Amino acid sequence: MSEELTQEMLDELYGHIIVLHKPVFSFTECLTTYSKEDMIAIATDLRYKVRRSKTKTVIAEDFFKELSLKSQHQLSFQSKETIQLLKELMNGPKEINFIPFSRKNPGLFDLLYSRWVFLFYYEDTYTLVLPNETKEMLQSFIDNPDFKEENKRKNLLHEYVEAFMNLYGAFETDFFLKVWTQHNKQYPLELNKLLFELIELAWFNERLRLTDNLEYIFDNSFLNENDVPVFLSSSSHHNYYQPTKADINYFAKHEFDERTAQYKKMSRFFAKKLSSEELIDVMDLIMVYIKLDLDMQNLFGELNSQFSIVFNSAKDIEEFSYLYLNLNNHSRKLSNKGHTPEEELSKNQNTLSSAPNNVVPFTNKYTGKQEPIRVKKVGRNEPCPCGSGKKYKHCHGK
């Protein structure tokens, strides 16, 4: 996360999520630090019914009643790390270093957004507060065996969704249910129940979306609903890669497979030239281009503009080309329904292609000379070339 993005994020959070006030500890005190208009806006955003014409105190009471009714169900979707954070806050307020803490606890934003927890900034100190009333409410169910089991099952469902989005991008609901049923006989789900839970889960996961007809699940970060049928039809000649439980466990936490020998060789190629943080960013960028079959020439422009990487020698170009080809052929791709090109080609008894579709020639066709490829720099407020639809600064320009 860049400092620029961090500051932009903070600017949006101050006064909305981050409360500029000394810490207070009852729910009514916490919520009434906002203006009446903001309290109503927050309630509307969360679809809570409050009496708008009443005082701030009455609105806060209405808000807490709604929170109480929905909290056990909504918290059952939260990660075990987020539930553990709530348990820690039941012991009292917690002073934090906000940016590092939020990176390690991504579920914090759900807690703040829903006002289960409040974050105060006062005298240069960030303090997390679990209001007293909320604490009492949580004590009634958070250690209940039934709640724990429900939370465990929904966390597992979330892991499967994340893994499927990272492997396939978009996929049939029936295929997801088939794999879930094969892997998790202890948690049987019928189609209607699965759809209901996925719709609820999408409230907490910005990537997860279902098409209106509920036939397909897709990753909203790179596809919109209208693109899903076209995307799936373009790979209809492929069968889905059948994930193992080990695959689910890995791809629930990793967008790309970083375990392959080809990935490690490419990483070593750049390790000599980059810091450890830059190396991670460069490898992520390369893997996005491979995974999405993006134009290779734009990749050279990105490497140049973001990291000042220019391939000046024929040796560097040749080595990178060889490493990229091998990495491409051994990487799981969305266009192959999770298969690597090597798996698909081997299955069809074809020889490996000499170059992937998204690799462009390295030689200047007019001079015959191998030259560094430079592309116009992408502006931070322009659309990201990965096709996500997001601004570059919010996507691969982070």
Side-chain angles (χ1 to χ4, degrees):
M1 184 180 294
S2 69
E3 288 305 315
E4 180 179 351
L5 183 59
T6 297
Q7 188 57 53
E8 181 177 334
M9 179 185 70
L10 287 174
D11 289 344
E12 293 176 359
L13 291 176
Y14 281 129
H16 179 60
I17 294 292
I18 300 174
V19 184
L20 304 177
H21 194 281
K22 69 178 181 179
V24 290
F25 306 104
S26 78
F27 186 86
T28 297
E29 287 177 321
C30 289
L31 196 62
T32 54
T33 56
Y34 294 98
S35 68
K36 183 176 178 178
E37 291 74 19
D38 284 344
M39 290 173 66
I40 292 171
I42 293 167
T44 301
D45 203 25
L46 293 170
R47 302 176 188 175
Y48 287 179
K49 296 177 182 178
V50 297
R51 289 170 285 181
R52 298 168 176 243
S53 62
K54 299 296 183 178
T55 64
K56 290 172 65 174
T57 298
V58 173
I59 292 173
E61 291 171 355
D62 289 345
F63 193 109
F64 186 73
K65 287 177 184 176
E66 291 279 319
L67 181 70
S68 301
L69 287 171
K70 300 176 181 179
S71 61
Q72 183 169 344
H73 177 67
Q74 291 180 347
L75 286 174
S76 66
F77 285 93
Q78 294 296 322
S79 69
K80 60 184 179 181
E81 292 80 11
T82 301
I83 298 297
Q84 183 56 41
L85 174 59
L86 282 172
K87 288 184 176 182
E88 290 177 18
L89 291 172
M90 290 171 74
N91 296 321
K94 185 181 184 72
E95 292 185 2
I96 63 169
N97 187 343
F98 176 60
I99 296 300
F101 188 86
S102 62
R103 286 173 177 164
K104 293 179 182 178
N105 297 272
L108 172 64
F109 290 100
D110 280 337
L111 298 180
L112 294 171
Y113 174 74
S114 298
R115 271 64 184 188
W116 287 311
V117 170
F118 290 81
L119 177 60
F120 294 93
Y121 182 65
Y122 184 71
E123 294 183 346
D124 296 327
T125 302
Y126 293 96
T127 305
L128 278 175
V129 171
L130 180 67
N132 296 329
E133 301 92 323
T134 311
K135 187 185 306 182
E136 292 175 8
M137 175 185 64
L138 292 176
Q139 286 171 337
S140 68
F141 68 80
I142 202 164
D143 287 321
N144 181 282
D146 290 339
F147 173 79
K148 287 183 175 181
E149 185 65 15
E150 184 72 356
N151 179 245
K152 179 180 177 181
R153 183 180 66 81
K154 288 181 177 177
N155 268 260
L156 185 61
L157 181 63
H158 198 176
E159 287 181 11
Y160 270 72
V161 168
E162 285 288 324
F164 269 61
M165 289 192 296
N166 286 334
L167 279 168
Y168 312 113
F171 45 92
E172 284 85 353
T173 306
D174 287 343
F175 173 60
F176 181 86
L177 180 59
K178 178 182 176 182
V179 174
W180 171 268
T181 303
Q182 289 172 344
H183 287 188
N184 303 289
K185 298 191 186 315
Q186 76 279 27
Y187 296 129
L189 280 175
E190 294 183 356
L191 180 59
N192 286 343
K193 176 66 172 174
L194 171 67
L195 291 171
F196 180 77
E197 295 207 351
L198 289 176
I199 291 168
E200 288 189 313
L201 184 58
W203 178 264
F204 303 99
N205 188 325
E206 291 185 1
R207 293 175 64 196
L208 170 62
R209 293 293 181 270
L210 289 86
T211 55
D212 285 343
N213 60 14
L214 304 180
E215 289 184 18
Y216 307 109
I217 304 166
F218 64 98
D219 180 352
N220 188 50
S221 68
F222 90 99
L223 278 174
N224 62 51
E225 181 169 352
N226 294 332
D227 294 331
V228 171
V230 176
F231 171 79
L232 289 172
S233 66
S234 69
S235 59
S236 59
H237 56 289
H238 296 289
N239 293 318
Y240 283 105
Y241 170 72
Q242 297 294 317
T244 64
K245 287 186 177 181
D247 288 326
I248 297 297
N249 185 58
Y250 184 82
F251 284 101
K253 302 175 181 68
H254 300 86
E255 188 176 354
F256 323 109
D257 194 343
E258 302 171 12
R259 302 166 296 181
T260 67
Q262 293 76 20
Y263 182 96
K264 292 173 182 176
K265 287 178 181 178
M266 179 68 86
S267 184
R268 286 196 291 271
F269 173 77
F270 284 106
K272 312 165 192 175
K273 311 172 184 180
L274 302 168
S275 68
S276 57
E277 288 188 5
E278 286 179 323
L279 179 60
I280 292 171
D281 291 340
V282 164
M283 290 303 299
D284 282 354
L285 181 63
I286 291 171
M287 292 306 295
V288 165
Y289 269 73
I290 287 176
K291 184 174 179 176
L292 302 182
D293 282 319
L294 300 178
D295 189 330
M296 180 74 170
Q297 182 159 345
N298 285 338
L299 173 59
F300 278 94
E302 293 283 345
L303 292 173
N304 182 13
S305 63
Q306 287 194 53
F307 306 102
S308 300
I309 295 173
V310 178
F311 297 90
N312 285 315
S313 70
K315 180 182 177 183
D316 271 356
I317 293 173
E318 184 178 354
E319 185 176 359
F320 177 79
S321 177
Y322 173 79
L323 292 171
Y324 188 90
L325 171 62
N326 280 303
L327 180 57
N328 181 87
N329 282 332
H330 291 84
S331 296
R332 302 208 172 275
K333 306 182 78 169
L334 302 185
S335 59
N336 285 357
K337 288 192 171 177
H339 288 282
T340 67
E342 181 194 38
E343 288 172 340
E344 282 295 295
L345 291 168
S346 297
K347 184 174 68 175
N348 294 326
Q349 297 183 336
N350 292 329
T351 57
L352 282 175
S353 170
S354 60
N357 291 333
N358 55 333
V359 173
V360 297
F362 294 101
T363 304
N364 187 313
K365 65 181 180 180
Y366 299 108
T367 65
K369 296 179 181 179
Q370 289 179 314
E371 298 178 350
I373 301 175
R374 292 183 171 86
V375 178
K376 179 183 176 183
K377 182 175 179 179
V378 180
R380 290 187 59 75
N381 288 307
E382 294 177 7
C384 185
C386 77
S388 68
K390 299 180 181 179
K391 288 185 179 180
Y392 177 71
K393 65 182 178 182
H394 292 312
C395 195
H396 290 97
K398 291 182 180 179

